[in-house]
Amino acid sequence: MYISANISYKGNSADIDFPVSDEMLNDILIESKMPTDTTQLFFVEDVHYPLELSALNARTINLDELNFLARRLDSFTDDEIEQFYAAVEQRNAKNLKDLINLTYNLDKFTIIKNVGDMTKVGREYTLNTEGCANADSCYDAKYAEIGRKLLASGRGIFTERGLLFVEDKPIEEAYDGKIFPGFAYQSFIVNVDVEYKGRFESLFLPESQLAIDKAVRRLGAESIDDCELTCEYENPNFGRFSVRFEEILDNEGIAALNTLAYEFYTYDINAEKLDAAMEMTDVKSSKNIITLINHLDEFEYLNDISYGDYEGIGRYFVDNDYYDEYEISDDLCDYFDFAGFGAHMAEEKGGQFVSGGFVFYDGEDGFDSFMDKLEDENSSMTMGGM
């Protein structure tokens, strides 16, 4: 919780802790008999915490803006929070648009708490204003000089948080008061840009349908079907699926991609194994990929087997304690045809060499039974998505 406030609407009120999910906010508003349409203006009776935002008291606000600000603050370090509060005081910021934009301009506000170490002063100032500072001690003299010049400049403003230095640069407007800047508050699987009449919002899937609807409404569109959708980037752990994500977005739409992203987000997925199983089964639709995810523990993937290495496959089954029925004594190892046995097991298990190794299905009901669980992709991949 980074912002706690009592919010009211025409006589009804509720204490709400932000940030809060869109679904939870919706439930709170329903329970408090307030409208769930967050485009309406609500009244701030009192900001309980932090006191630094008390300027919002007795003002009408957009709840989504307040929630976005709280998410920004929730992502900050303690030092960044201190910078933000100092910036709020120095700029006398009183509305949510200005407060949100300050969160994107912390590089213009440097707080120095210890003025006794010139090297530290110079390094902290450089780090904040330029985004990086070399930690090598050979640069200490350089940073000490920067620190001395900074303190001697007379620009320092005494505050309760330390000596504040404000850069003589305009505040950059990341938020225009209508469209939220792209900001991934939580970990995500894939980022989709939503464009409508030259305006953009970013969705970081998986996301709730309510959050998607709000983004579309902020863009001024009636439906997401009126928007152009583009996969921008994905969680690097699942980059191998980027082409498949784009195809699902184009052919099935964002709802299908969002459902699939929830599966990736919820389960601890072995990406290499899933990729191999997808290549083996040649599945492409979101529903079939989800079926694979739900049955992935029934597949075995050997990523240290090169194409045609039947000897390696044979040794895997002989040496693996799970397959104790294939165990042979050490005395027979020199005479055993591992390659021939591996070729037999590859056929027995319906295994397949894939780009990353060898994969086979090891479920109780057999591979054909599993394949019967998959849907016909000729129909599933023709729904279309804007």
Side-chain angles (χ1 to χ4, degrees):
M1 179 270 292
Y2 270 86
I3 300 175
S4 179
N6 183 264
I7 304 296
S8 70
Y9 186 90
K10 293 184 178 179
N12 296 315
S13 66
D15 287 327
I16 307 177
D17 293 337
F18 299 88
V20 61
S21 70
D22 290 285
E23 300 95 323
M24 180 67 74
L25 179 59
N26 197 67
D27 291 344
I28 292 172
L29 294 175
I30 291 174
E31 184 178 349
S32 305
K33 296 181 174 55
M34 291 189 282
T36 57
D37 180 4
T38 51
T39 62
Q40 299 194 43
L41 293 178
F42 291 74
F43 190 77
V44 180
E45 297 286 350
D46 181 53
V47 175
H48 305 316
Y49 177 88
L51 296 180
E52 288 82 356
L53 296 182
S54 59
L56 294 176
N57 289 342
R59 288 178 174 268
T60 55
I61 63 162
N62 179 302
L63 289 184
D64 291 329
E65 287 186 336
L66 186 61
N67 206 23
F68 187 85
L69 174 63
R71 288 174 176 174
R72 289 287 298 167
L73 299 184
D74 193 24
S75 71
F76 283 180
T77 65
D78 291 343
D79 288 340
E80 287 171 330
I81 288 290
E82 289 288 297
Q83 281 179 268
F84 172 74
Y85 290 155
V88 170
E89 181 178 352
Q90 199 276 334
R91 298 284 300 188
N92 194 28
K94 294 182 178 180
N95 63 69
L96 284 170
K97 178 186 175 183
D98 290 344
L99 290 168
I100 290 171
N101 279 318
L102 280 181
T103 69
Y104 289 93
N105 285 270
L106 296 186
D107 60 321
K108 299 175 179 65
F109 303 89
T110 303
I111 295 177
I112 301 299
K113 295 183 178 181
N114 180 6
V115 298
D117 185 338
M118 292 299 104
T119 299
K120 186 176 181 181
V121 169
R123 184 175 280 114
E124 288 180 353
Y125 177 76
T126 303
L127 179 61
N128 185 59
T129 56
E130 298 183 10
C132 62
N134 201 307
D136 195 311
S137 61
C138 68
Y139 290 88
D140 285 358
K142 168 188 172 183
Y143 290 127
E145 180 63 18
I146 291 174
R148 281 190 290 271
K149 288 183 177 180
L150 180 67
L151 295 182
S153 67
R155 293 196 294 117
I157 302 170
F158 288 99
T159 72
E160 294 180 356
R161 295 176 174 81
L163 200 57
L164 174 66
F165 291 89
V166 182
E167 300 307 297
D168 186 19
K169 297 178 181 178
I171 297 295
E172 297 178 17
E173 187 177 271
Y175 175 50
D176 63 0
K178 297 178 181 179
I179 309 299
F180 287 141
F183 171 59
Y185 171 58
Q186 296 176 327
S187 58
F188 65 98
I189 303 301
V190 59
N191 162 228
V192 174
D193 269 359
V194 184
E195 186 268 335
Y196 181 72
K197 294 184 177 180
R199 297 188 294 179
F200 295 83
E201 272 229 16
S202 292
L203 295 172
F204 298 90
L205 308 184
E207 189 55 275
S208 69
Q209 185 59 50
L210 187 56
I212 294 174
D213 292 341
K214 285 183 177 184
V216 171
R217 192 164 56 217
R218 283 191 292 269
L219 289 171
E222 292 187 6
S223 166
I224 199 162
D225 293 335
D226 300 325
C227 304
E228 182 175 340
L229 309 180
T230 308
C231 282
E232 281 302 301
Y233 51 88
E234 62 286 318
N235 184 316
N237 295 327
F238 305 113
R240 65 182 66 235
F241 304 109
S242 59
V243 173
R244 188 68 68 233
F245 289 156
E246 291 175 6
E247 291 175 347
I248 290 172
L249 181 64
D250 291 341
N251 296 321
E252 300 181 60
I254 193 169
L257 181 59
N258 196 38
T259 300
L260 179 60
Y262 266 112
E263 294 290 322
F264 274 82
Y265 189 83
T266 303
Y267 296 102
D268 184 17
I269 295 174
N270 183 328
E272 284 187 320
K273 185 177 180 181
L274 177 60
D275 194 25
M278 288 172 60
E279 185 175 343
M280 176 186 182
T281 57
D282 195 31
V283 300
K284 297 179 176 64
S285 74
S286 61
K287 288 184 178 179
N288 280 344
I289 295 173
I290 290 173
T291 300
L292 266 185
I293 291 173
N294 293 332
H295 292 268
L296 197 57
D297 59 348
E298 298 167 17
F299 286 80
E300 293 296 329
Y301 173 56
L302 313 181
N303 61 1
D304 56 350
I305 299 293
S306 57
Y307 186 85
D309 182 13
Y310 289 106
E311 180 180 348
I313 296 172
R315 289 187 179 278
Y316 169 80
F317 282 100
V318 169
D319 296 339
N320 194 318
D321 292 339
Y322 181 78
Y323 303 100
D324 54 5
E325 66 269 32
Y326 304 124
E327 183 180 359
I328 63 175
S329 66
D330 294 339
D331 295 339
L332 295 177
C333 283
D334 292 339
Y335 307 99
F336 189 75
D337 182 6
F338 284 99
F341 178 63
H344 166 74
M345 292 305 298
E347 183 176 357
E348 179 77 14
K349 297 290 186 180
Q352 180 178 321
F353 289 102
V354 293
S355 54
F358 180 80
V359 62
F360 63 93
Y361 182 77
D362 205 27
E364 293 182 0
D365 296 332
F367 184 62
D368 290 340
S369 177
F370 169 76
M371 292 298 290
D372 288 340
K373 298 175 183 177
L374 302 177
E375 67 173 11
D376 180 7
E377 295 199 340
N378 290 327
S379 61
S380 67
M381 295 295 285
T382 58
M383 295 299 293
M386 297 297 291

